[in-house]
């Protein structure tokens, strides 16, 4: 089995083999376009601006860092700091660091300046609506081009409107649009003052600023509500019919919050939380070649589409190729106990392989029940994912494939057998979703060059409907409609996907600030 071209032992044991450049190449394979932009921003104090402008990939950045001796095999901590900051903590193992080791070393070995860190942290908390408001306030001095929160702050810095000693404009913008961000600015001032011995900012200013109307910021409320036992439940019938959940009473918090309306409370209980430090992990098991079954041409296109769309949604994506039964067990155990789940919003697990009867084939020909895979992530087995949505997508094909044409292959379970209920594969507890490419007992189809009907439709509908703030069940309904309308070139082969779920709330992914390009 390989993960993005590396063996499982290399992936899970800190990439002990191979040279340092090989390690950097592996890290680069996990980083998307958004990650590259974040790295470029954090390296503005380390790499000359003209050189940064030429960087189109993480490898380009690594090359400059190596040349300028910011990075070396003997001391890779700067890269560890960068990966930690952009929330790619799972990649730290390739540098032989743990999250805890980085956190311990940061106060003494930090290379990213306090000012750079401040701007990055602010960018993470400036929503698209907040950004529009800030640009509106500065419209005459800001070019009319598409901007992210990060590029907006970089522009202000480049125009010398803000710097480490002059935050007046930034403070004014935050006070008018996102008052709770003043806490981060005040924290920065205190830390900077402690470095130069100047008087720190008064503590009272951290919690209250002119124009603020709330005792707690919304993220504080979310954390408090998230710590409470569930007091509002909806069954699947209520969710599918759009019934509203009973609002959580704010009085349970022991404080009154003027700005928290009953409508907001209802909304918070109806949608899974998506505002933690990390969106979560997306694992893709992509089996192309088998010891005793036919190959699955087209599956690499599916894997690449899943990587792109889930990275776009903020997930850290890990792809494992040609996974044996033992390899799969290692992957499941690794992510079952992964400490990163504590800071994550969600977990996604995708399997692209042959399969039948509610089970999937490993690359060495063993049939593994889907339920067995999902059972690793129940609240009892994986407490860090309790009360969080766990989404499983299965593109499973049968052992002896039917080939209706040169470009279409069957990709599912044997139709001549009576299938078990799909619901039998879903653990009997809340917060799971299982999306199968086909109704159990029937074939699904995969184009040998363009990928499977199901995964390609899932990719396209996530790309199109997440920006419209559609929830995952609405998106899967659209996928069902799309796939059901497709047929092979003779018009005789059809397919119908089927989801099963025990979700208690809607899964609505935050809208990415950047468009997912084809």
């Amino acid at each position: 089995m390989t993960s993005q071209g590396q063996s499982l032992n290399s992936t899970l044991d800190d990439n002990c083999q191979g040279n340092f450049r090989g390690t950097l190449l592996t890290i680069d394979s996990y980083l998307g376009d958004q990650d590259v932009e974040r790295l470029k921003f954090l390296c503005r104090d380390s790499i000359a601006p003209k050189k940064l402008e030429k960087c189109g990939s993480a490898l380009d950045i690594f090359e400059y860092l190596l040349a300028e001796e910011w990075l070396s095999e003997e001391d890779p901590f700067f890269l560890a700091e960068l990966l930690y900051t952009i929330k790619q903590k799972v990649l730290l193992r390739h540098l032989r660091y743990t999250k805890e080791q980085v956190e311990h070393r940061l106060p003494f070995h930090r290379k990213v300046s306090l000012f750079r860190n401040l701007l990055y942290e602010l960018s993470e908390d400036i929503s698209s609506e907040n950004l529009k408001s800030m640009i509106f306030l500065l419209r005459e001095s800001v070019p009319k081009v598409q901007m992210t929160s990060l590029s907006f702050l970089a522009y202000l810095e480049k125009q010398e409107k803000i710097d480490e000693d002059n935050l007046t404009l930034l403070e004014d913008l935050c006070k008018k649009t996102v008052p709770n961000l003043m806490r981060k600015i005040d924290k920065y001032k205190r830390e900077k003052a402690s470095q130069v011995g100047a008087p720190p900012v008064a503590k009272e200013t951290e919690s209250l600023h002119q124009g603020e109307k709330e005792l707690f910021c919304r993220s504080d409320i979310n954390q408090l509500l998230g710590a409470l036992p569930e007091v509002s439940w909806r069954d699947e019938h209520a969710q599918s019919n759009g019934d509203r959940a009973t609002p959580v009473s704010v009085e349970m918090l022991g404080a009154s919050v003027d700005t928290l309306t009953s409508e907001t409370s209802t909304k918070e209980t109806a949608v899974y939380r998506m505002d933690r430090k990390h969106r979560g992990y997306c694992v893709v098991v992509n089996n192309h070649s088998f010891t005793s079954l036919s190959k699955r041409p087209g599956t690499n296109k599916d894997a690449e589409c899943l990587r792109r769309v889930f990275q776009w949604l903020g997930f850290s994506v890990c792809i494992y190729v040609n996974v044996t039964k033992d390899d799969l067990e290692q992957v499941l155990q690794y992510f079952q106990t992964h400490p990163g789940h504590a800071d994550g919003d969600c977990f996604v697990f995708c399997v692209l392989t042959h399969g039948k009867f509610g089970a999937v084939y490993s690359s060495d020909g063993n049939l593994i029940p889907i339920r067995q895979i999902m059972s690793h992530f129940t609240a009892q087995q994986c407490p860090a994912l309790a009360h969080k949505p766990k989404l499983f997508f299965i593109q499973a094909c049968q052992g002896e494939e039917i080939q209706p044409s040169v470009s279409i292959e069957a990709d599912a379970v044997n139709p001549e057998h009576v299938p078990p209920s799909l619901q039998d594969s879903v653990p009997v507890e809340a917060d799971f979703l299982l999306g199968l490419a086909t109704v159990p007992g029937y074939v699904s189809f995969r184009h040998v060059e363009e990928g499977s009907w199901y995964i390609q439709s899932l990719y396209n509908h996530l790309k199109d409907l997440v920006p419209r703030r559609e929830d995952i069940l609405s998106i899967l309904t659209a996928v069902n409609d799309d796939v059901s309308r497709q047929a092979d070139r003779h018009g005789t082969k059809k397919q119908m996907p089927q989801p099963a779920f025990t979700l208690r709330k809607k899964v609505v992914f935050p809208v990415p600030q950047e468009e997912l390009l084809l």
Side-chain angles (χ1 to χ4, degrees):
M1 178 195 71
T2 58
S3 169
Q4 295 289 76
Q6 300 296 315
S7 68
L8 178 65
N9 289 336
S10 175
T11 302
L12 302 185
D13 296 333
D14 302 339
N15 197 26
C16 294
Q17 300 177 356
N19 58 35
F20 187 56
R21 284 185 174 270
T23 299
L24 298 181
L25 183 63
T26 300
I27 293 173
D28 169 77
S29 69
Y30 286 99
L31 300 176
D33 293 341
Q34 290 185 359
D35 295 315
V36 173
E37 290 306 308
R38 291 163 182 156
L39 289 174
K40 288 169 70 173
F41 181 84
L42 292 171
C43 290
R44 285 172 65 91
D45 302 320
S46 311
I47 301 175
K50 290 185 178 180
K51 292 181 179 180
L52 273 179
E53 290 176 2
K54 298 178 182 178
C55 292
S57 68
L59 286 180
D60 294 335
I61 298 173
F62 299 160
E63 195 68 67
Y64 282 123
L65 292 178
L66 288 167
E68 299 294 331
E69 298 184 353
W70 285 94
L71 179 63
S72 67
E73 184 172 7
E74 293 75 23
D75 184 14
F77 183 75
F78 185 32
L79 180 53
E81 179 183 354
L82 294 173
L83 294 175
Y84 177 88
T85 303
I86 67 172
K87 300 180 176 62
Q88 286 284 6
K89 299 171 187 175
V90 69
L91 300 181
L92 293 174
R93 63 183 184 275
H94 294 288
L95 301 173
R96 299 184 179 89
Y97 277 104
T98 65
K99 182 187 74 169
E100 291 74 21
Q101 287 173 329
V102 174
E103 290 172 346
H104 178 73
R105 291 196 64 184
L106 267 179
F108 311 101
H109 300 276
R110 182 187 300 277
K111 294 185 178 180
V112 178
S113 70
L114 291 176
F115 177 63
R116 185 75 43 215
N117 262 311
L118 168 67
L119 296 186
Y120 183 81
E121 289 182 5
L122 291 177
S123 76
E124 293 284 278
D125 290 332
I126 296 174
S127 69
S128 57
E129 291 302 316
N130 299 147
L131 179 60
K132 287 180 182 178
S133 298
M134 289 183 175
I135 292 176
F136 176 80
L137 292 171
L138 299 178
R139 175 45 71 192
E140 294 183 359
S141 57
V142 177
K144 295 182 179 180
V145 296
Q146 189 71 26
M147 283 188 169
T148 65
S149 57
L150 205 58
S151 62
F152 172 71
L153 293 174
Y155 174 80
L156 295 183
E157 183 186 11
K158 186 176 181 180
Q159 296 299 311
E160 298 183 349
K161 296 180 182 295
I162 58 173
D163 59 45
E164 63 178 353
D165 297 314
N166 179 18
L167 298 176
T168 304
L169 176 62
L170 192 56
E171 289 177 297
D172 185 53
L173 291 173
C174 288
K175 287 177 182 179
K176 292 178 179 178
T177 60
V178 203
N180 60 295
L181 291 188
M182 288 300 300
R183 300 180 181 188
K184 292 184 182 294
I185 295 177
D186 289 337
K187 179 184 176 184
Y188 161 77
K189 287 183 175 181
R190 287 197 304 274
E191 290 179 346
K192 186 172 183 297
S194 67
Q195 289 184 344
V196 298
V201 177
K203 278 212 168 184
E204 301 86 76
T205 62
E206 178 181 351
S207 59
L208 186 63
H209 287 272
Q210 184 178 3
E212 289 194 46
K213 298 180 180 179
E214 51 192 24
L215 294 175
F216 301 96
C217 69
R218 181 162 296 182
S219 61
D220 292 335
I221 296 298
N222 290 343
Q223 291 176 1
L224 289 169
L225 290 176
L228 292 173
E230 291 291 339
V231 297
S232 173
W233 292 80
R234 301 191 306 171
D235 59 21
E236 292 173 14
H237 176 76
Q239 182 168 355
S240 64
N241 285 281
D243 292 350
R244 299 180 70 176
T246 304
V248 175
S249 172
V250 178
E251 283 72 18
M252 296 178 62
L253 301 177
S256 74
V257 183
D258 296 337
T259 59
L260 188 63
T261 64
S262 60
E263 179 181 354
T264 301
S265 181
T266 301
K267 181 178 180 181
E268 294 296 338
T269 59
V271 180
Y272 283 102
R273 179 180 168 187
M274 289 284 170
D275 62 354
R276 296 179 179 85
K277 294 181 179 179
H278 183 223
R279 185 74 62 241
Y281 295 96
C282 172
V283 180
V284 179
V285 172
N286 178 30
N287 288 344
H288 173 272
S289 303
F290 300 79
T291 56
S292 57
L293 303 174
S294 60
K295 292 184 178 180
R296 301 182 60 254
T299 188
N300 291 337
K301 177 67 176 294
D302 285 345
E304 173 60 18
C305 286
L306 290 172
R307 181 192 68 79
R308 291 183 64 201
V309 76
F310 281 107
Q311 276 191 347
W312 176 64
L313 292 174
F315 287 84
S316 296
V317 180
C318 302
I319 299 179
Y320 299 92
V321 181
N322 298 334
V323 183
T324 66
K325 180 181 179 181
D326 290 342
D327 289 338
L328 180 60
E329 183 59 31
Q330 288 186 55
V331 172
L332 292 170
Q333 290 289 344
Y334 178 71
F335 282 96
Q336 176 183 326
T337 59
H338 201 295
H341 292 320
D343 293 330
D345 297 319
C346 182
F347 179 67
V348 176
F349 198 98
C350 307
V351 181
L352 314 174
T353 188
H354 291 305
K356 63 180 181 180
F357 306 132
V360 294
Y361 279 106
S362 60
S363 65
D364 55 350
N366 288 287
L367 200 58
I368 301 167
I370 296 172
R371 184 183 184 87
Q372 179 179 324
I373 294 173
M374 299 176 72
S375 67
H376 283 76
F377 304 100
T378 62
Q380 182 176 2
Q381 296 298 323
C382 185
L385 286 176
H387 309 302
K388 300 176 183 179
K390 294 162 279 284
L391 315 180
F392 293 77
F393 298 102
I394 311 294
Q395 171 61 42
C397 57
Q398 64 181 14
E400 295 86 20
E401 295 176 319
I402 302 168
Q403 296 187 15
S405 69
V406 295
S407 61
I408 299 293
E409 294 186 348
D411 217 15
V413 296
N414 290 323
E416 64 270 19
H417 296 282
V418 177
S421 167
L422 177 60
Q423 196 67 37
D424 291 341
S425 294
V426 181
V428 187
E429 68 167 64
D431 310 313
F432 277 89
L433 179 143
L434 170 62
L436 276 186
T438 183
V439 176
Y442 294 87
V443 297
S444 63
F445 297 100
R446 169 177 34 83
H447 193 286
V448 298
E449 294 179 353
E450 299 302 322
S452 65
W453 293 356
Y454 177 63
I455 295 299
Q456 293 303 309
S457 182
L458 177 64
Y459 165 78
N460 286 319
H461 282 86
L462 284 170
K463 175 170 64 74
D464 294 341
L465 298 183
V466 165
R468 301 181 192 176
R469 304 186 186 278
E470 296 280 0
D471 69 284
I472 191 65
L473 294 183
S474 298
I475 292 172
L476 291 179
T477 300
V479 170
N480 279 9
D481 180 63
D482 177 40
V483 174
S484 69
R485 294 174 185 271
Q486 299 189 43
D488 72 324
R489 66 179 184 175
H490 301 294
T492 59
K493 300 294 192 295
K494 290 281 188 177
Q495 177 182 334
M496 172 58 76
Q498 180 180 352
F501 61 92
T502 58
L503 298 174
R504 297 174 292 110
K505 307 175 185 181
K506 289 184 177 182
V507 177
V508 180
F509 293 118
V511 180
Q513 294 185 2
E514 297 181 4
E515 182 180 358
L516 179 60
L517 301 177
L518 295 176

